[in-house]
Amino acid sequence: MSLRYSDNRPPPNPMIDDKTRTEIEAAAFRGLVAHLQNRTDVQNIDLMNLAGFCRNCLSKWYLAAARERGVQMTDGDAREAVYGMPYAQWKAEYQQEATPEQQQRYKDTAALHAVIDIPDA
């Protein structure tokens, strides 16, 4: 399943102009990112197994959106924006080894995982 962030936009609300809607969506994204930065106990594999996306997916959507707008950004830059620190540091401090059960569920749910197309830099 390949979803682009713009494919599932809610129908336009005639009471909200595009600028305000974009600001609301940006605030919601920042809230989600802040929540995930605070919930370091929640592992990416659990997010993938339950929801089909994780912090890495968010960083890829972020990177794709930046590149679509001509903003030069690396994967590392995007991950740091989502993780709140360099990815290697987050992995060293918070990532736990996946259990065999988590790994099996990841394989079983692979068809439901987010697929993100990232334009070339």
Side-chain angles (χ1 to χ4, degrees), residues 2-3 18 26 41-44 46-48 50 52-53 59-60 64 66 71 73-74 78 81-82 90 103 107 110 119:
S2 179
L3 276 181
D18 284 345
D41 60 310
V42 177
Q43 297 296 297
N44 283 330
D46 291 325
L47 290 169
M48 288 298 291
L50 292 171
F53 80 99
S59 71
K60 289 176 184 177
V71 175
M73 182 178 290
T74 66
V82 170
W90 192 93
Q103 292 174 6
K107 290 176 187 173

Side-chain angles (χ1 to χ4, degrees), residues 5-20:
Y5 63 90
S6 59
D7 289 347
N8 269 345
R9 290 195 99 113
N13 181 333
M15 302 300 289
I16 302 174
D17 61 84
D18 284 345
K19 180 181 180 298
T20 302

Side-chain angles (χ1 to χ4, degrees), residues 29-48:
F29 173 79
R30 287 190 301 270
L32 174 60
V33 168
H35 181 72
L36 289 173
Q37 287 176 356
N38 288 322
R39 289 297 309 273
T40 56
D41 60 310
V42 177
Q43 297 296 297
N44 283 330
I45 195 163
D46 291 325
L47 290 169
M48 288 298 291

Side-chain angles (χ1 to χ4, degrees), residues 8 13 20 23 26 35 40 69 72 76 85-86 95 100 102 118:
N8 269 345
N13 181 333
T20 302
E23 291 170 354
H35 181 72
T40 56
R69 287 155 182 79
Q72 292 297 314
M85 63 183 67
Q95 185 167 309
Q102 287 171 313
I118 302 172

